């Protein structure tokens, strides 16, 4: 049974150029102990999805038009703000993409982490401080005791990001949503963060939703990956299959664009050729068709549904749960053998 089950989520923002649907018909599942990755270009709806999992879309100015978010037999999208307060942090925690604005600038790091521990784990002020220092050490911050007295602006960007992760982990939530938790970190620290998430999964069965532009990291650590384009899932598969043999031309383009500069992990996803999609003015048919080398007449007028591939060779069993929204996926699926793994 899944830990989290998102069904048909649709989120609208009313912008200056009219409404945009940042997330559209998005469904995904997360099992206990599983790491599911959300990948896609900037503006594809990853953070909006992350906010939706925490009931924060209305606060960010958006509207949930449709959707269900099932957790422990309850559709969380029907909860009142008061009920959400009991779920947030203790059951489902979010490591925000923007650590600087997610931390309160007027409170010390120690106070902010202690508050989570006092509220959600019932610790005394003294025990909470001890535990907060331990948590900061755990995420690799040097001199954690001293860091407790620091204000967010006194930490570097990478340190703030890790303090935020520490704050999310201390309440031992069953679901951890981590939005680009390694973007401000060098590769060694990024790996450390992934190891911490790994530990939460293995030791207590937490489920992790990871948003990351680092596709190598995703390929190495995710169980399953959902690829987003213009707010829709265009492909999902096990991380192993996905990048070894993409079915969607967009997934293939993302993988090709992951190029490392100077052998370093890129801080941002390198650009996929063509103009990024304009949500306020979506093209007819497949939203990716203006940038797609394989686009045909049908792609310009008809929107492909997310579906599997009908074929009955030996690879079928591995591919049973795979889906892609592309009219050409059959030929792509056959073209690229699974042997050519990354
Ligand atoms: P990135 O990789 O840059 O973090 P993302 O995939 O997280 O991108 P989102 O932040 O979810 O993308 O944004 C999806 C779309 O929704 C974008 O077009 C964005 O401009 C729009 N959007 C996001 N937040 C708001 C908001 N509060 N008000 C209006 N539009 C918004
Ligand atoms: Mg984002």
């Amino acid at each position: 049974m899944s830990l989290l089950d998102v069904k048909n989520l649709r989120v609208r923002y009313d912008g200056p150029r009219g409404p945009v649907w940042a997330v559209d018909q998005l469904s995904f599942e997360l099992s206990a102990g599983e790491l599911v990755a959300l990948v896609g270009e900037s503006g594809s709806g990853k953070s909006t999805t992350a906010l939706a999992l925490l009931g924060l879309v209305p606060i960010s100015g958006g509207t949930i038009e449709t959707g269900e978010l099932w957790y422990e037999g309850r559709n969380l999208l029907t909860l009142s703000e008061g009920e959400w307060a009991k779920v947030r942090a203790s059951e489902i925690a979010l490591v925000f993409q923007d650590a600087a604005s997610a931390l309160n600038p007027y409170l010390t790091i120690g106070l902010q982490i202690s508050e989570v521990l006092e509220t959600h784990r019932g610790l005394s002020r003294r025990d909470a401080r001890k535990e907060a220092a331990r948590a900061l050490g755990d995420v690799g911050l040097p001199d954690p005791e001293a860091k407790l007295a620091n204000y967010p602006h006194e930490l570097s960007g990478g340190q703030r990001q890790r303090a935020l992760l520490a704050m999310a982990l201390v309440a031992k939530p069953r679901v951890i949503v981590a939005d680009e938790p390694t973007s401000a970190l060098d590769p060694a620290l990024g790996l450390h963060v992934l190891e911490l998430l790994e530990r939460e999964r293995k030791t207590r069965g937490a489920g992790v939703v990871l948003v990351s532009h680092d596709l190598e990291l995703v390929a190495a650590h995710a169980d399953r990956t959902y690829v987003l384009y213009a707010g829709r899932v265009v492909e999902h598969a096990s991380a192993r299959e996905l990048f070894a043999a993409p079915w969607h031309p967009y997934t293939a383009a993302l993988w090709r664009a992951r190029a490392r500069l100077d052998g370093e992990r890129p801080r941002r996803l390198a650009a996929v050729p063509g103009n990024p999609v304009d949500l306020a003015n979506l093209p007819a048919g497949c939203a990716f068709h203006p940038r797609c080398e394989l686009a045909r007449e049908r792609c310009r007028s008809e929107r492909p549904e997310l579906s599997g591939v009908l074929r009955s060779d030996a690879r079928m069993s591995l591919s049973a749960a795979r889906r892609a929204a592309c009219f050409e996926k059959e030929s792509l699926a056959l073209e690229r053998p699974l042997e050519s793994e990354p």
Side-chain angles (χ1 to χ4, degrees), residues 34 292 326:
E34 191 182 31
C292 183
C326 175

Side-chain angles (χ1 to χ4, degrees), residues 13-15 20-23 40-49 51 60-62 97 179-180 211 228 268 279:
Y13 289 112
D14 292 309
V20 297
W21 284 270
V23 170
E41 287 175 295
S42 185
S44 57
K46 306 179 298 295
S47 293
T48 302
T49 305
L51 291 174
S60 80
Q97 180 169 17
D179 193 350
E180 299 279 11
V211 173
L228 270 64
R268 302 194 62 80
L279 284 183

Side-chain angles (χ1 to χ4, degrees), residues 14-315:
D14 292 309
R17 294 167 57 226
V20 297
W21 284 270
V23 170
D24 201 4
Q25 290 182 15
L26 184 131
S27 296
F28 79 92
E29 282 177 64
L30 174 74
S31 298
E34 191 182 31
L35 191 149
V36 162
L38 304 180
V39 303
E41 287 175 295
S42 185
S44 57
K46 306 179 298 295
S47 293
T48 302
T49 305
L51 291 174
L53 301 182
L54 275 291
L56 294 171
V57 164
I59 294 167
S60 80
T63 306
I64 295 194
E65 283 196 342
T66 64
E68 294 165 24
L69 170 54
W70 290 95
Y71 173 78
E72 303 228 302
R74 284 195 296 177
N75 175 7
L76 300 185
L77 294 185
T78 64
L79 298 190
S80 66
E81 191 45 40
E83 289 167 319
W84 260 116
K86 294 188 195 126
V87 173
R88 258 181 231 136
S90 59
E91 302 285 327
I92 307 177
L94 172 62
V95 183
F96 285 86
Q97 180 169 17
D98 182 0
S101 55
L103 290 163
N104 186 330
Y106 303 115
L107 299 178
T108 62
I109 299 293
L111 208 65
Q112 296 188 56
I113 302 182
S114 299
E115 197 176 284
V116 175
L117 287 159
E118 288 168 43
T119 312
H120 297 288
R121 280 178 55 197
L123 265 56
S124 69
R125 173 59 56 98
R126 207 158 146 221
D127 288 347
R129 274 190 84 78
K130 258 196 239 158
E131 181 67 10
R134 197 200 52 73
L136 286 178
D138 221 23
V139 296
L141 282 193
D143 204 359
E145 287 282 347
K147 289 284 183 305
L148 292 179
N150 284 148
Y151 288 87
H153 75 269
E154 296 176 297
L155 304 187
S156 72
Q159 289 178 338
R160 276 197 294 267
Q161 203 169 38
R162 279 173 292 154
L164 203 61
L165 177 68
M167 206 190 309
L169 298 185
V170 287
K172 302 196 184 302
R174 303 218 21 228
V175 178
I176 302 159
V177 184
D179 193 350
E180 299 279 11
T182 64
S183 60
L185 306 179
D186 64 40
L189 281 172
L191 205 59
H192 179 64
V193 164
L194 260 296
E195 282 163 7
L196 285 175
L197 294 173
E198 200 84 9
R199 188 186 69 191
E200 300 294 312
R201 298 164 59 190
K202 296 212 167 114
T203 57
R204 50 181 203 85
V208 179
V209 178
L210 173 73
V211 173
S212 180
H213 67 274
D214 189 335
L215 299 187
E216 306 258 358
L217 202 76
V218 167
H221 294 273
D223 295 308
R224 290 181 302 116
T225 301
Y226 291 80
V227 182
L228 270 64
Y229 190 77
R232 288 183 175 232
V233 174
V234 295
E235 178 160 12
H236 78 84
S238 72
R240 190 174 100 76
E241 288 178 291
L242 188 79
F243 299 116
W247 283 1
H248 200 290
Y250 172 59
T251 312
L254 282 177
W255 183 250
R256 280 197 300 270
R258 81 195 184 288
R260 293 169 179 206
L261 305 167
D262 308 315
E264 288 277 310
R265 286 229 153 97
R267 289 281 154 108
R268 302 194 62 80
L269 194 66
V272 168
N275 290 326
V277 69
D278 177 4
L279 284 183
N281 190 16
L282 277 183
C286 170
F288 186 64
H289 89 252
R291 304 167 78 183
C292 183
E293 288 169 2
L294 303 175
R296 295 183 308 159
E297 205 41 51
R298 188 182 181 193
C299 311
R300 294 178 232 285
S301 56
E302 204 182 319
R303 191 175 233 174
E305 292 297 321
L306 200 58
S307 61
V309 161
L310 290 176
R311 60 193 167 92
S312 55
D313 62 32
R315 282 171 284 172

